[in-house]
Amino acid sequence: MHMALACAQAAADAGETPVGCVIVDESTGEVVAEGMNGPIGAHDPTAHAEIVALRAAAAKRRNYRLTGLTLYVTLEPCAMCAGAISHARIGRVVWGADDPKGGALAHGPRFFDQPTCHWRPAFEGGLLATEGATLLRDFFRARRKGTAA
C-alpha cells in the first residue's frame, strides 16, 4: 500500500485526484503493475488508477485475465473500476480509505454482491486508510484555497 500511496502522491503532483494503485503477485512478491489517476492529463474519463494498473498488468502478462493477483488501491473503487476488476478476474482487492459517496464495494451498489457480477474477488478496506484519506483531504483543501497541493 505504501507504493500505491506514492502513486497517489504522484497523481496529486500532476494535478490529478490523488489515487494510486499497485497490482501484486503475492505468490512471488512481484509488483506486476502500478497506476495513478490520470483522467485530466490523458483526456480519458476511464483513466482511474485501477484501470491504468489493470491495463498495464494485462499487457505485461499478455493476458486479460489476472486471476490470483492482488490489487491495492488507496481509495475504495468506484463502480466502473469494480466492473473492470471483476472482468479481469483479480483475486483480491485491498483499499485504503472508504468512499461513502463514490465507492462501490462496501458502499453504494456493493458491486461484488450483485447477482449479475460473474467474478467476486476477496476484498477488504482500511489498510493505511488514514494516510490515503489525508492525502485526498489535503489535495482538495488546497484546491479550494487555490493553492497547489
Side-chain angles (χ1 to χ4, degrees), residues 15-91:
E16 302 277 358
T17 300
V19 178
C21 180
V22 176
I23 298 176
V24 176
D25 183 334
E26 300 285 0
S27 68
T28 65
E30 174 194 12
V31 174
V32 178
E34 58 184 44
M36 64 181 210
N37 258 17
I40 298 167
H43 310 290
D44 178 358
T46 69
H48 289 195
E50 300 94 322
I51 303 293
V52 171
L54 287 167
R55 287 176 178 157
K60 184 172 184 177
R61 289 286 170 104
R62 300 177 54 86
N63 192 337
Y64 73 103
R65 295 280 169 90
L66 303 173
T67 308
L69 301 181
T70 299
L71 183 146
Y72 292 89
V73 63
T74 58
L75 182 67
E76 180 183 351
C78 70
M80 175 184 70
C81 293
I85 289 165
S86 178
H87 282 283
R89 306 291 199 264
I90 286 287

Side-chain angles (χ1 to χ4, degrees), residues 86-112:
S86 178
H87 282 283
R89 306 291 199 264
I90 286 287
R92 181 172 167 236
V93 177
V94 180
W95 72 88
D98 283 342
D99 187 357
K101 183 176 178 184
L105 303 189
H107 299 90
R110 298 179 185 260
F111 189 88
F112 298 142

